[in-house]
Amino acid sequence: MSIRRITENVYELNLGKSNAFLIDDEKLTLIDTGAPDSSGLILELLQSIGRQPDDLKNILLTHSHPDHSGSAADLKAITGAKIYMHPAERKWVEAGYIPKPERPHFTGLVNRLIYRMFIAGAPGSITPFRIDRLLEDGEWLPIGGGIQAVHIPGHSDGQLAFFFPGAKNVLFAADACDNLFGLGYSTFYEDFEAGRHSLEKLATFDFDVACFGHGKSILHGAGMKFGRKFIGHHHHHGGHPQRAAAAAGEEAAIRVHEPEERI
């Protein structure tokens, strides 16, 4: 359980079972909230960098799984922060129960074992909460000079990544993949084909730092590593922002140049 600064205004919060991230833009924005009963730890970590609970104004949820949304209700009640999320998983968090996929897809034996040991029997219940704003693919939020929501289904239907251009372009990749044993596929997918497509989509963005729900952040050259792992080396030459545009279409090539008002 620790907090470390990974860019000028981004912190990684290691909550044990998962990570959360903090964007410091005078006001604070938290990406994910950890498992149920993590709110006390999160607030302690905020205070360790000299911030108070009422500094937290926004909570961006990547998806509804309990190890990411489990403490959202408590943090909202304590801080008054607004919660943002994709509409596809709204019904689960408002009901307070997130079902597991009937037939999860695994990319290998190790991931199957991890799922069986740590996830299959884990409770799906959380304290229910209401979402203040629903986010669609491509939306920009006026946080830290601009942060973009990117819909990346596969691990779950409504999963969002967040692209944060700035002094260092940062991608919050959620559970599209992980960095537990090096950069690799997530422990499980509800829909692996959708998950693969989402990873190809993420690899078109121009980012140097990648942050994950599970595993340590990659602090240098992360975009190139995504391209090599999830698209293939032949699409990558010199780390140019359009390095995978041929694979993902013109829309992606345009997207990596927005917004104009970078900090």
Side-chain angles (χ1 to χ4, degrees):
M1 321 304 178
S2 61
I3 184 168
R4 66 170 181 152
R5 196 174 198 158
I6 58 174
T7 75
E8 185 180 350
N9 55 355
V10 176
Y11 293 85
E12 176 189 85
L13 284 66
N14 179 345
L15 304 177
K17 294 177 182 177
S18 65
N19 300 319
F21 298 91
L22 194 66
I23 297 173
D24 185 352
D25 177 37
E26 295 183 11
K27 298 172 182 177
L28 298 179
T29 295
L30 184 68
I31 298 178
D32 285 342
T33 66
D37 301 320
S38 299
S39 55
L41 171 60
I42 289 170
L43 295 175
E44 281 179 30
L45 293 175
L46 295 195
Q47 290 175 322
S48 75
I49 59 169
R51 306 307 294 264
Q52 301 304 314
D54 59 5
D55 291 329
L56 181 61
K57 301 300 182 186
N58 304 297
I59 296 171
L60 308 183
L61 291 179
T62 61
H63 60 300
S64 64
H65 291 167
D67 55 338
H68 295 262
S69 71
S71 292
D74 289 349
L75 288 169
K76 181 180 173 72
I78 294 165
T79 69
K82 290 185 176 180
I83 297 178
Y84 301 71
M85 194 177 186
H86 191 275
E89 297 181 35
R90 174 184 191 170
K91 60 186 175 184
W92 306 129
V93 299
E94 290 186 349
Y97 182 78
I98 296 86
K100 295 179 179 64
E102 288 183 19
R103 294 184 178 180
H105 179 96
F106 308 105
T107 57
L109 179 61
V110 171
N111 284 337
R112 186 185 294 271
L113 290 172
I114 290 172
Y115 185 89
R116 191 175 295 168
M117 291 173 67
F118 299 108
I119 300 171
S125 56
I126 61 169
T127 303
F129 57 87
R130 294 191 66 80
I131 300 166
D132 296 289
R133 179 169 165 186
L134 298 170
L135 295 176
E136 298 289 351
D137 183 45
E139 273 194 63
W140 286 93
L141 296 170
I143 291 168
I147 187 168
Q148 187 181 26
V150 186
H151 185 212
I152 50 164
H155 177 70
S156 68
D157 191 34
Q159 183 171 234
L160 291 172
F162 293 98
F163 177 57
F164 185 44
K168 280 193 170 186
N169 292 359
V170 180
L171 179 75
F172 300 95
D175 284 5
C177 50
D178 65 39
N179 194 33
L180 288 168
F181 309 105
L183 180 62
Y185 291 107
S186 189
T187 300
F188 73 94
Y189 294 87
E190 292 180 358
D191 182 337
F192 184 58
E193 282 307 306
R196 278 176 50 177
H197 179 74
S198 291
L199 285 167
E200 291 177 355
K201 180 178 179 178
L202 291 180
T204 67
F205 284 76
D206 180 23
F207 58 96
D208 192 42
V209 177
C211 301
F212 306 90
H214 305 277
K216 282 194 171 183
S217 299
I218 297 174
L219 302 183
H220 304 286
M224 289 298 292
K225 291 174 183 175
F226 267 61
R228 286 196 297 268
K229 181 74 179 180
F230 301 123
I231 290 183
H233 189 67
H234 60 284
H235 285 300
H236 295 261
H237 299 285
H240 194 272
Q242 281 103 346
R243 58 184 175 262
E250 288 303 315
E251 182 184 346
I254 294 167
R255 187 190 303 123
V256 298
H257 285 94
E258 297 176 351
E260 291 299 325
E261 55 281 344
R262 291 189 177 186
I263 57 170

